[in-house]
Amino acid sequence: MVRPPCCDKLSVKRGVWTPEEDAKMIAFVSKHGSGNWTSVPKKAGLKRCGKSCRLRWTNYLRPDLKQDIFTPQEEDLILKLHAAIGSRWSMIAQQLPGRTDNDVKNYWNTKLKKKLTDMGIDPITHKPFSKLLADYGNIGGNQKPSTRIGSLSKDFKNTVLFRSDPFPKLPSPKLEPPTESSLFSNREVMEKETIPAAILGEGFLSSSSSSISSLSTSICSNAAHEGLSLPFCWNDFLLEDVFPSAADNLENENPTMNENRNEVTSQQVPSSDVRYSSPSSEISFVEAMLDQENEMFLNFPHLMEEPSTSNY
DNA sequence: AAGCTAGACAACCGCGTTCCG
DNA sequence: TCGGAACGCGGTTGTCTAGCT
């Protein structure tokens, strides 16, 4: 492997930073500011490569970083943004003041991904595994199931294929400790708290419990049947298909059959809701993806803005 | 007490993009 | 316009630690 010029010397130190190194970095950056990282180690008297210095500063030493645990509001926002834009950690982190992309990425990988998986939701597609399995049966015609398994996400395989109870019932709020249920915070709280509503876009704040897709009706109705008012609805984090399934296509060919259903759907899913809505069969894959991206930026206008620049 | 395991997170790596001479 | 250096990002690995057996 060819190391960058700043890192190719054997004398370059690697591994965990010591308090002394941190102190040198802080002292240097507070005096000279960040930038031109390749020259920082030499000027600061550190036996590190510039890349390592930049990473240490941006991910750990920056004075504006939050050291405390993620709040339920932050978790909520991460889930929403991940559902909307995927693993673009830097963009997600820009919406969370004091958090770095590494923070968000680690938090996702260690906590949120597991929570979703444990609750029967694919953390990549944000769709229930049961829905994925159902759709999976509609793809590829006579293809052998075993040959298709390989294209499934790792989490999906681990959860659905290698566990005895692939579709656990979602926990009742009655049974959940407060910390668990706080993952999906009350929107009223969220609007009042640190995260500006504008970041989420109007759709997210207005569509929570009213946007009912067929796949998550059962999830929400569990609580409804128990007479409980859930502070969130799982559909917030569930995405519709980019393209309709084969079954959907069949149905769509018969407009009268779906008249009532379409009517209901159009009322229940606000146009501003971030969803990978099914495009018309007339448009191409590329057009569908572009539409999807446009829709994303409509819902997250802040993602279009330049991040606030600060010089440390 | 020792060994093992899983979780958390810091740090590294590779690659694409941007900048600059 | 081109090429090399620097930067930024996302994925992955390494290390530490707490809890369990």
Side-chain angles (χ1 to χ4, degrees):
Chain A
M1 183 204 116
V2 179
R3 289 185 184 281
C6 67
C7 306
D8 60 2
K9 294 173 186 171
L10 291 174
S11 60
V12 168
K13 186 171 181 270
R14 300 175 63 194
V16 180
W17 282 63
T18 65
E20 290 75 25
E21 288 176 312
D22 284 346
K24 283 183 180 177
M25 266 291 294
I26 292 170
F28 178 83
V29 177
S30 60
K31 189 176 179 182
H32 299 95
S34 63
N36 194 11
W37 287 106
T38 49
S39 65
V40 165
K42 190 178 179 183
K43 292 178 181 173
L46 292 162
K47 289 183 167 57
R48 295 273 180 176
C49 78
K51 201 171 179 177
S52 179
C53 290
R54 182 180 61 82
L55 225 59
R56 182 64 178 172
W57 176 258
T58 55
N59 287 339
Y60 197 80
L61 298 176
R62 260 168 50 197
D64 63 327
L65 293 180
K66 280 185 190 173
Q67 303 291 341
D68 48 351
I69 60 170
F70 280 77
T71 66
Q73 290 76 29
E74 287 175 316
E75 289 182 342
D76 193 77
L77 186 55
I78 292 169
L79 283 165
K80 286 178 169 64
L81 288 169
H82 188 274
I85 64 177
S87 56
R88 298 186 205 181
W89 304 118
S90 62
M91 291 178 80
I92 294 174
Q94 282 171 22
Q95 311 304 318
L96 296 163
R99 304 294 187 190
T100 68
D101 55 350
N102 214 35
D103 280 340
V104 176
K105 182 171 59 182
N106 283 333
Y107 193 68
W108 173 266
N109 285 331
T110 58
K111 297 270 185 64
L112 298 182
K113 196 164 80 172
K114 187 175 183 300
K115 279 183 181 176
L116 288 178
T117 302
D118 286 349
M119 300 184 93
I121 292 173
D122 181 30
I124 295 175
T125 62
H126 289 254
K127 292 162 79 173
F129 291 130
S130 55
K131 170 75 173 172
L132 289 178
L133 266 188
D135 288 351
Y136 212 51
N138 295 326
I139 302 171
N142 295 328
Q143 219 173 349
K144 290 178 184 176
S146 59
T147 63
R148 286 184 256 144
I149 296 299
S151 63
L152 292 171
S153 81
K154 190 172 67 179
D155 296 305
F156 180 85
K157 282 186 275 189
N158 287 343
T159 303
V160 175
L161 304 176
F162 304 125
R163 65 185 285 174
S164 57
D165 180 18
F167 308 122
K169 289 183 73 172
L170 285 167
S172 158
K174 274 180 181 175
L175 302 175
E176 282 298 300
T179 51
E180 183 68 18
S181 62
S182 67
L183 167 62
F184 308 100
S185 60
N186 191 316
R187 287 171 194 289
E188 291 176 7
V189 173
M190 185 162 60
E191 287 178 78
K192 291 173 190 170
E193 297 289 335
T194 56
I195 300 169
I199 288 178
L200 296 171
E202 197 56 33
F204 277 133
L205 294 178
S206 62
S207 65
S208 59
S209 57
S210 61
S211 60
I212 304 170
S213 66
S214 59
L215 57 89
S216 57
T217 302
S218 61
I219 294 170
C220 296
S221 61
N222 281 346
H225 288 159
E226 296 175 29
L228 298 169
S229 59
L230 273 179
F232 79 99
C233 185
W234 270 98
N235 338 350
D236 295 354
F237 311 113
L238 304 180
L239 298 177
E240 296 290 354
D241 293 337
V242 177
F243 303 108
S245 66
D248 290 341
N249 282 334
L250 274 177
E251 290 180 20
N252 289 339
E253 285 172 11
N254 186 345
T256 54
M257 190 166 73
N258 296 293
E259 202 173 338
N260 293 335
R261 196 187 107 177
N262 292 339
E263 203 171 80
V264 170
T265 303
S266 65
Q267 287 169 355
Q268 288 170 336
V269 181
S271 60
S272 57
D273 203 0
V274 174
R275 286 176 192 285
Y276 296 164
S277 56
S278 304
S280 125
S281 58
E282 304 289 327
I283 66 175
S284 68
F285 174 80
V286 173
E287 286 170 323
M289 296 308 287
L290 288 174
D291 284 350
Q292 190 180 314
E293 182 140 325
N294 288 337
E295 194 176 347
M296 178 185 82
F297 283 117
L298 281 176
N299 284 281
F300 295 96
H302 281 62
L303 296 177
M304 299 284 281
E305 297 175 3
E306 291 291 322
S308 58
T309 55
S310 55
N311 190 19
Y312 296 106

